[in-house]
Amino acid sequence: MFTCNFNIYLSLLACIFMFWIVVEGADPSQELQELASNTISDENYYQVAMGQGQSDVAMQLVRDCSRNGQWLCLKNLHLVTSWLPILVKELNSLSPHENFRLWLTSEVHPRFPTILLQSSLKVTYEAPPGVKKNLFRTYDNWTPEFVSRGSKSSKSSVTRSQALFALAWFHAVLQERRNFIPQGWTKFYEFSLGDLRAAADITDRLCAAQEVQWEFMHGLMENAIYGGRVDNIFDTRVMTSYLRQYFDSALLSGSSSRSRGKRLVANITLPQSTNIKDYQDLIEQLPEDDAPTYFGLPANIERSAQRVNSQKVISQLKTLMRSVEAGAKFDREAWQSELGPILRLWKRLNQGSSSVIHAKVEMPTLSDDSPILQFVLLERYNAIRLVQKVHQTLSALSKVMRGTQLLTKEVHQLANSILQQQTPLQWHSMWEGPDDPMQYLHALVAKTMALQGWEEKAQRGSLLGSDELNLADLFHPNTFLNAVRQKTARDSKMSMDELKFTCSWKGQISGSNCNVKIGNLLLEGCSFDGMRLSESQRNSATVSAVPPCYVAWIAKDATSPYNSNETISMPIYTSPTRESIVTCLDVPCGGQHMTWVQSGAALLLQQH
């Protein structure tokens, strides 16, 4: 079914030690397995996935395979860098059999022993860039016999060949969509050649039946093969939409009459053939640069990708500007130079707010007051405690730098974290805010000052109603929405489980006396005018403002403001990195659910 490219591998066999530098999501172990099977047989090939407790097993196999002339593959060496000097020492003492070959795989790691690198033939292994190259690689691994298996004139054989191309396209799109994190995927998923192999085997088996059960294939791909790697429900929704688009009975009919007008994506029509050359010719016609339409992403996705990449570069440059040695040991001049800016920032942010720093606050007591008031009081209390904690730690750091206080372990850890452009654990333990300490301080002070206004309105009972609320003012916005749910249940004398969350851009929601008007929301992936979604253009801004909306909890049997087939459930993330979800809103979309799912559209809180 799959073939190794032996022209690449034959030149490696003259070397005893082969070191594979792999990128995240790429794994050469399956190709090595096939090479070994065709060269020395499976019985003479061993592989060990390195990790805790595998060192002794690996060392014994190194000795045995070296003596017997067998092949051994040690995978993921970046996980056991402390053990590698022992491996190097053992390799230097060996008198290996002439047929012995040691294959090593590892991601890039700064502590990898230089001597092991120098004594090995080094090969970089990564997924081919772009959909076109990805497809070519898949078809290089598939034999003509595998693609055309069955009767060439049979409709089922044509369906099978088309399904294989759809699978190759699906695999390429999943991998290449990773270039657009977090809008494409919320994180990097390691879709690999092993997934493709398993899916190809399933496709081969299903297409042997008289009638292909595409729904069965959707379930296997979504819940086991590819979907087993995905842990975000909105990423799963994207994958499901691809499965339903590509593996469709009308598209993969094996008949030109039934599939007339159906395309895999824009401008790509599947050949009515079982000849591998026809599919390779189709791949050859594709442009070298991937079009956003391949993934269903908006036309301005490149602008979003450039913004994310520029932020990464800026973060890396900031880290490089910091002196690593400065944190390893105490150097007053170096610390004053490197840490002075954050101390001055904290002083500037707290001008006029000394009452917060020196306030004596007590934990709010439980009472029969409104759950919303209880939440706001607790949120404000925790905010003040965090501000005081940050002030205490930075004051201690300032005193050490001035020489009026001895250096302690806690202060040293604080300085190390800030020097590495990381928010200290002492702060993160109280609120998991931004990872950059400068951004953390800005957000902390802005939220604390905004909460003062929330507390005043909550005390007067005027928090809910016509005034817009910015959920970005809160440290725990999802808890606030749950407090609204509790108040609604209490006022309506219903259990919380009998309520459902709904939203409206038409005005206040009937059926609830606890309407919350939310403003300052941003939308990424498309635009919204309060009535329906519309696609972003190539020159559109990466994010756009969303009109204020009302949200409320109503009885489950009550009528929602919109019909379910007219809306799409869209997540609200706390930040553009899409790491934490606040809640979901049913946004009117006018149909075309698949379009908005694949676009990666999501709502974001507008940060201070």
Side-chain angles (χ1 to χ4, degrees):
M1 181 172 73
F2 286 78
T3 59
C4 287
N5 192 334
F6 285 99
N7 292 329
I8 297 177
Y9 293 105
L10 285 177
S11 60
L12 305 178
L13 300 184
C15 304
I16 295 180
F17 306 139
M18 276 69 65
F19 180 73
W20 293 76
I21 305 169
V22 300
V23 300
E24 191 176 17
D27 183 9
S29 58
Q30 189 64 41
E31 293 184 2
L32 290 176
Q33 175 83 51
E34 290 186 0
L35 178 64
S37 179
N38 287 279
T39 306
I40 60 168
S41 77
D42 291 332
E43 292 76 13
N44 292 311
Y45 177 71
Y46 298 88
Q47 54 183 333
V48 179
M50 299 304 296
Q52 188 174 8
Q54 296 298 312
S55 302
D56 293 340
V57 175
M59 190 63 72
Q60 187 59 47
L61 281 172
V62 168
R63 299 186 183 111
D64 294 343
C65 293
S66 171
R67 181 176 60 254
N68 300 329
Q70 297 165 316
W71 287 12
L72 174 62
C73 176
L74 302 181
K75 301 186 290 187
N76 303 326
L77 292 185
H78 58 281
L79 301 178
V80 289
T81 53
S82 61
W83 172 76
L84 293 182
I86 302 175
L87 174 63
V88 172
K89 183 177 180 181
E90 181 67 26
L91 294 178
N92 290 334
S93 66
L94 293 177
S95 298
H97 190 282
E98 61 179 358
N99 293 329
F100 171 62
R101 296 293 182 271
L102 179 62
W103 307 81
L104 309 172
T105 73
S106 173
E107 295 180 11
V108 176
H109 196 285
R111 296 183 179 178
F112 213 90
T114 304
I115 189 171
L116 185 57
L117 295 174
Q118 292 174 341
S119 59
S120 306
L121 175 66
K122 294 167 284 296
V123 180
T124 301
Y125 186 90
E126 58 186 1
V131 169
K132 183 175 181 177
K133 290 185 176 64
N134 203 305
L135 290 171
F136 267 131
R137 177 173 180 174
T138 297
Y139 271 82
D140 284 344
N141 287 332
W142 285 347
T143 64
E145 294 76 18
F146 174 69
V147 173
S148 62
R149 184 178 298 167
S151 173
K152 294 185 178 181
S153 60
S154 169
K155 187 175 75 172
S156 62
S157 295
V158 174
T159 298
R160 178 183 173 280
S161 299
Q162 291 177 338
L164 288 175
F165 184 86
L167 173 61
W169 183 273
F170 173 75
H171 178 77
V173 165
L174 293 192
Q175 288 196 323
E176 296 307 312
R177 194 178 169 99
R178 298 179 301 195
N179 293 323
F180 305 104
I181 295 172
Q183 188 171 340
W185 301 114
T186 57
K187 61 186 290 188
F188 192 97
Y189 295 114
E190 296 188 3
F191 304 120
S192 66
L193 187 61
D195 298 320
L196 178 63
R197 293 171 185 274
D201 183 59
I202 293 296
T203 304
D204 185 38
R205 293 170 183 267
L206 287 177
C207 290
Q210 188 169 2
E211 183 176 351
V212 182
Q213 301 294 325
W214 295 118
E215 289 292 335
F216 181 69
M217 183 174 185
H218 295 168
L220 284 175
M221 300 275 272
E222 178 184 340
N223 299 310
I225 302 176
Y226 285 94
R229 301 183 183 276
V230 180
D231 56 10
N232 181 291
I233 59 173
F234 296 99
D235 288 342
T236 300
R237 192 169 65 171
V238 171
M239 179 181 294
T240 302
S241 72
Y242 284 146
L243 289 169
R244 298 191 181 281
Q245 178 182 351
Y246 303 152
F247 300 98
D248 177 68
S249 58
L251 175 66
L252 308 176
S253 62
S255 169
S256 58
S257 60
R258 284 193 59 192
S259 61
R260 184 173 291 124
K262 295 286 289 185
R263 296 175 182 270
L264 189 68
V265 292
N267 302 322
I268 297 180
T269 303
L270 294 176
Q272 301 294 323
S273 167
T274 62
N275 191 336
I276 191 173
K277 183 68 166 56
D278 293 333
Y279 294 94
Q280 291 172 332
D281 290 343
L282 175 59
I283 299 171
E284 185 62 48
Q285 295 172 11
L286 297 175
E288 295 295 333
D289 297 329
D290 295 338
T293 53
Y294 289 176
F295 314 100
L297 291 168
N300 66 345
I301 186 62
E302 287 294 340
R303 300 184 67 176
S304 298
Q306 290 170 5
R307 174 177 56 83
V308 172
N309 291 334
S310 63
Q311 290 173 346
K312 289 181 180 178
V313 171
I314 291 173
S315 177
Q316 292 168 353
L317 290 175
K318 285 182 178 179
T319 302
L320 291 175
M321 289 173 60
R322 301 291 181 179
S323 172
V324 177
E325 288 78 11
K329 59 181 180 179
F330 176 59
D331 185 327
R332 180 171 286 109
E333 291 185 2
W335 280 28
Q336 288 175 344
S337 173
E338 302 288 350
L339 301 176
I342 198 168
L343 294 176
R344 291 192 292 271
L345 171 65
W346 182 246
K347 182 178 180 180
R348 178 171 59 83
L349 290 175
N350 285 281
Q351 287 179 349
S353 60
S354 58
S355 58
V356 174
I357 294 175
H358 302 292
K360 294 183 179 181
V361 292
E362 296 181 358
M363 169 75 76
T365 57
L366 294 176
S367 66
D368 294 331
D369 292 336
S370 164
I372 297 176
L373 176 60
Q374 288 288 303
F375 163 79
V376 174
L377 293 176
L378 184 60
E379 191 85 338
R380 172 78 170 159
Y381 166 76
N382 287 327
I384 294 175
R385 285 186 60 243
L386 179 54
V387 168
Q388 293 176 347
K389 176 67 174 180
V390 170
H391 184 74
Q392 174 190 345
T393 55
L394 290 180
S395 295
L397 175 62
S398 177
K399 291 177 182 178
V400 170
M401 291 165 55
R402 295 198 309 268
T404 60
Q405 179 176 311
L406 293 177
L407 177 66
T408 63
K409 180 180 178 181
E410 290 74 18
V411 173
H412 202 174
Q413 290 175 344
L414 177 79
N416 278 339
S417 297
I418 298 175
L419 288 170
Q420 296 171 21
Q421 286 292 304
Q422 297 175 354
T423 299
L425 290 177
Q426 300 102 303
W427 305 351
H428 255 319
S429 63
M430 299 183 68
W431 173 54
E432 293 185 10
D435 292 329
D436 182 276
M438 294 279 197
Q439 295 178 9
Y440 189 98
L441 296 182
H442 275 288
L444 170 61
V445 174
K447 290 175 184 290
T448 302
M449 300 309 296
L451 278 169
Q452 183 174 349
W454 281 63
E455 182 179 1
E456 293 172 356
K457 291 181 179 180
Q459 294 281 15
R460 296 196 306 265
S462 61
L463 187 63
L464 306 184
S466 59
D467 290 344
E468 289 183 22
L469 298 179
N470 184 0
L471 295 182
D473 292 341
L474 304 175
F475 294 92
H476 306 95
N478 51 339
T479 308
F480 166 70
L481 295 178
N482 197 48
V484 175
R485 185 184 186 186
Q486 289 179 323
K487 177 172 172 52
T488 303
R490 181 181 298 181
D491 292 348
S492 59
K493 295 180 171 46
M494 300 173 66
S495 71
M496 293 174 60
D497 292 337
E498 296 178 280
L499 301 175
K500 64 179 179 181
F501 188 66
T502 188
C503 65
S504 173
W505 278 267
K506 301 176 182 179
Q508 292 203 11
I509 302 168
S510 60
S512 174
N513 60 348
C514 294
N515 275 259
V516 181
K517 190 176 183 180
I518 297 178
N520 298 94
L521 292 178
L522 299 176
L523 178 59
E524 185 177 37
C526 56
S527 58
F528 181 61
D529 60 2
M531 297 181 65
R532 64 176 57 201
L533 297 173
S534 57
E535 295 186 26
S536 298
Q537 303 304 312
R538 185 177 181 85
N539 59 350
S540 300
T542 56
V543 295
S544 59
V546 176
C549 70
Y550 285 93
V551 299
W553 294 89
I554 61 176
K556 286 186 176 180
D557 57 359
T559 303
S560 299
Y562 306 101
N563 294 328
S564 59
N565 59 349
E566 298 176 349
T567 63
I568 180 173
S569 179
M570 194 173 291
I572 301 179
Y573 290 98
T574 56
S575 69
T577 58
R578 303 195 181 193
E579 295 176 351
S580 178
I581 294 178
V582 177
T583 187
C584 298
L585 298 183
D586 291 331
V587 182
C589 64
Q592 298 180 317
H593 290 79
M594 185 180 296
T595 299
W596 311 118
V597 167
Q598 293 182 6
S599 71
L603 295 163
L604 311 172
L605 296 184
Q606 185 171 345
Q607 300 298 321
H608 296 282

